Amino acid sequence: MGNRKTRIGILSAGGDCPGINAAIRGVGKTAIVEYGMEVYGIANGFSGLVDKEMFALNEEELSGILTVGGTILGTSRMKPFKPEEGDTVTDKPQIIKKNYEDLGLDALVCIGGNGTQKTANLLANEGLNVVGIPKTIDNDVYGTDVTFGFDSAVWIATDAIDRLHTTANSHKRVMVIEVMGHHAGWIALYSGIAGGGDVILIPEMEYDLEVIANCLVERNRKGKPYSIVVVAEGIEKPKKKSAAAYIGKKITKMTGLETRETILGYIQRGGSPSPSDRILATRYGAYAAELIHKRQFGTMVSLQGNNIAAVPLAEVGGKLSLVEHDHHLITKGKRMGVCFGK
Ligand code: F6P
């Protein structure tokens, strides 16, 4: 390497979330200011490594992005180890390996969710110097207490639920709100509790429609003028129907109560990160640069308690962090009369 500066590439892959730019800034500024490294952005996730799309990230490019939503690098869901439809093999990992060398990269930072960390581990196995940073609004990355993006999404979902309370009250309706989370119910659980949801349904827990209907009828009987039902998009339901539409229709049919549905959708992934997410993403980014300096590759930065630590990527890939049935918010919620569907 001689006197050449250490050159690092940063990419973001998978669904975006608030805080990615804060993480890029955290990595980049620490790498440049503290360690005198050269920093490059890789465009559009792993596609950029296949297509050799790389651009310099100097301090100038890293300024003014802390509060900006989305990702200045672009993202994609391209999985380089997965053969294209109709193929049984893929040459993308070898192309990436060659391009990594051609581009003179000494290390690669992969900002992403579960899928990204799995790919990051496979690339580490191919000999690339990889450090992962966990991000997703779903908060389902294994090996860390929390991902950045989650807190912002909970804020957005909670604000939406707050707004539904007032209109639900005016019209004496049951409001069903669907939040994101295909496999994990973290957003539904946290926004449901923060927003005072009366029924909270998450993919990890089975539910009984009779129990939900009884709960809503009972509330009505007690003189509660309206109810809020928070559902994660990934709950068990007939295919093609949205979770909100399915639950809403069933409630109307079984209780006769007037019901309306809201699907929050991509609003949960957009906009400026919350202060907590800005801080977490900055801490993750700064620590990723430190791990590169210490040559601790094949790792993912993670939050454990209040400490930032490194976990082996090999322990993260292919696993999910799901809500346990005895999660303290579920236990406390039940004791306050919140219905979790059973
Ligand atoms: O980022 C995770 C997530 O938000 C899921 O909750 C959601 O179902 C999914 O991404 C949808 O993303 P896309 O349409 O971008 O693939």
Side-chain angles (χ1 to χ4, degrees):
M1 238 195 280
N3 280 335
R4 189 171 75 74
K5 285 184 173 182
T6 298
R7 178 178 292 183
I8 70 172
I10 310 174
L11 64 79
S12 52
D16 73 345
C17 73
I20 299 179
N21 290 326
I24 295 167
R25 174 177 172 273
V27 178
K29 288 205 173 194
T30 310
I32 295 168
V33 176
E34 177 68 15
Y35 300 118
M37 298 173 182
E38 266 180 13
V39 182
Y40 286 83
I42 314 279
N44 309 322
F46 294 103
S47 306
L49 276 181
V50 174
D51 303 334
K52 266 195 184 170
E53 275 187 81
M54 183 171 108
F55 47 92
L57 289 178
N58 300 313
E59 280 192 79
E60 202 183 321
E61 283 83 26
L62 295 166
S63 282
I65 63 169
L66 173 65
T67 61
V68 179
T71 164
I72 59 163
L73 304 177
T75 186
S76 73
R77 291 199 182 270
M78 200 268 256
K79 297 184 172 76
F81 287 86
K82 201 174 164 197
E84 306 260 319
E85 204 148 307
D87 285 345
T88 49
V89 285
T90 174
D91 56 357
K92 288 199 184 88
Q94 293 315 313
I95 295 174
I96 287 181
K97 233 174 128 174
K98 184 174 180 303
N99 289 347
Y100 175 88
E101 278 156 27
D102 287 355
L103 295 167
L105 290 170
D106 299 302
L108 178 68
V109 177
C110 299
I111 306 174
N114 283 297
T116 304
Q117 303 310 330
K118 195 174 167 186
T119 303
N121 183 43
L122 295 171
L123 288 176
N125 293 344
E126 292 287 329
L128 271 58
N129 295 331
V130 184
V131 172
I133 299 183
K135 69 105 183 64
T136 164
I137 62 163
D138 292 350
N139 194 35
D140 58 357
V141 178
Y142 189 84
T144 183
D145 288 0
V146 70
T147 56
F148 69 78
F150 173 61
D151 184 66
S152 305
V154 170
W155 266 95
I156 295 162
T158 304
D159 178 62
I161 296 169
D162 290 351
R163 288 169 193 277
L164 290 176
H165 274 275
T166 61
T167 172
N169 193 16
S170 308
H171 291 267
K172 321 287 178 251
R173 283 170 174 162
V174 176
M175 287 294 191
V176 183
I177 176 165
E178 176 181 318
V179 297
M180 278 186 167
H182 265 306
H183 305 288
W186 293 109
I187 299 176
L189 177 61
Y190 273 66
S191 65
I193 295 293
D198 306 300
V199 177
I200 300 173
L201 304 178
I202 61 174
E204 293 90 336
M205 290 171 79
E206 285 177 6
Y207 60 88
D208 182 339
L209 287 165
E210 291 286 345
V211 173
I212 297 167
N214 286 342
C215 156
L216 296 171
V217 169
E218 186 57 13
R219 279 179 54 79
N220 198 253
R221 199 188 57 77
K222 283 185 188 160
K224 311 266 171 91
Y226 70 94
S227 296
I228 301 285
V229 179
V230 183
V231 300
E233 64 182 330
I235 58 162
E236 188 70 34
K237 59 172 190 318
K239 274 196 175 42
K240 287 196 179 142
K241 282 214 164 144
S242 86
Y246 176 66
I247 296 293
K249 299 270 172 315
K250 288 284 180 197
I251 290 171
T252 311
K253 206 169 162 200
M254 295 169 80
T255 66
L257 295 168
E258 193 181 5
T259 306
R260 290 289 187 274
E261 299 132 27
T262 302
I263 300 175
L264 202 50
Y266 292 89
I267 287 169
Q268 291 160 98
R269 278 188 8 198
S272 188
S274 67
S276 290
D277 274 342
R278 293 179 200 183
I279 290 169
L280 184 60
T282 300
R283 290 177 78 191
Y284 279 167
Y287 193 57
E290 191 179 326
L291 289 177
I292 292 171
H293 174 70
K294 292 178 178 162
R295 303 192 63 77
Q296 286 183 28
F297 301 120
T299 50
M300 182 186 83
V301 300
S302 84
L303 186 73
Q304 293 172 16
N306 197 29
N307 297 322
I308 304 284
V311 290
L313 274 170
E315 282 177 21
V316 174
K319 296 181 198 155
L320 280 176
S321 166
L322 298 175
V323 179
E324 302 279 351
H325 290 199
D326 61 352
H327 186 281
H328 69 98
L329 285 183
I330 295 180
T331 316
K332 291 189 180 88
K334 279 182 180 168
R335 292 173 60 173
M336 294 168 64
V338 178
C339 170
F340 287 88
K342 270 272 172 199

